[in-house]
Amino acid sequence: MPQHARPTVVLVHGAFADASSFARVIPELTAAGVDVVAPAVPNRSLVEDAAYIASVVRAVDGPVILVGHSYGGAVITLAGTQDNVRALVYVAGYALEEGESLGELQGRFPDSGLADALVYTPFPVAGSTESGTDVSVAVDRFPALFAADVEPGLAAVLAVSQRPLAARAFTEAAPVAAWKTKPSWGLVASRDRTINPDVERFGYERAGMTTVEVDSSHLVMLAQPKAVAELIQDAIRSTLDGSDQADSND
């Protein structure tokens, strides 16, 4: 494929959300002529979720910019090793190191306030006598922790339409870290109460990413979609210009 063909943006949502969390970013991108794919992440296992997103990426005919929000950042850290991925964009996300789990990275920093709002619910696992455990956010705590600057009516809807994350995803180690070989950008949501913003900053700095900070909640894509879209456009422009991440930092 041509190195500088216009890329497709693949948007990967995180835990406690679905692809509609990008509902306000997608029009910003499509209005600029960007092709977008926003798949549903199973949210069952880090490795399995990444394998699924990798299959979505491989099905795209041409280069891809892979964008991950929150847990989706961990997913793109694995899936981003696909040959047609040109760049990674982390949005209030986890940038894991090879061999590191979500729990390990998060455990190095003070809790954001999310931990005591989590709800654990068993679910049946096909072919097993053991139950899995779904993790979600208490409905009454969700708006303040997840979507403080999203309009209250929408935040209330999001609170009752969560896509839970299986607990096993928190303890699985990342077998690879795509940011080591792909240029990467990171957005810190500085008023994030779901992920400690220092977790985001640490991961981005460790990876040598081009980083921006936005004064917003965890659901920055809904609260400030233009800022998110602009960062994605920066990554697109870099791939089209043939410039690398080092150039972006100059």
Side-chain angles (χ1 to χ4, degrees), residues 6-167:
R6 190 165 183 82
T8 295
V9 171
V10 176
L11 300 169
V12 181
H13 68 79
F16 322 132
D18 59 25
S20 68
S21 58
F22 289 105
R24 291 176 177 164
V25 171
I26 292 170
E28 296 284 338
L29 296 173
T30 56
V34 178
D35 290 332
V36 177
V37 177
V41 183
N43 282 4
R44 299 293 84 186
S45 153
L46 175 58
V47 173
E48 293 172 10
D49 292 344
Y52 173 72
I53 293 301
S55 75
V56 172
V57 168
R58 290 193 299 272
V60 175
D61 183 18
V64 164
I65 304 292
L66 200 49
V67 180
H69 172 246
S70 190
Y71 167 68
V75 173
I76 70 170
T77 297
L78 279 60
T81 58
Q82 297 303 300
D83 289 343
N84 59 330
V85 173
R86 294 288 178 260
L88 308 172
V89 180
Y90 291 77
V91 179
Y94 294 100
L96 298 179
E97 172 62 279
E98 184 176 336
E100 183 177 61
S101 70
L102 290 170
E104 288 170 340
L105 174 56
Q106 194 159 264
R108 298 192 185 115
F109 297 86
D111 180 58
S112 62
L114 178 68
D116 66 356
L118 295 177
V119 176
Y120 300 89
T121 308
F123 67 86
V125 177
S128 174
T129 58
E130 300 287 330
S131 294
T133 302
D134 262 341
V135 183
S136 58
V137 181
V139 170
D140 62 336
R141 302 283 301 280
F142 183 98
L145 288 173
F146 217 74
D149 53 350
V150 175
E151 52 268 42
L154 177 56
V157 170
L158 297 172
V160 300
S161 58
Q162 296 176 51
R163 191 179 186 97
L165 178 65

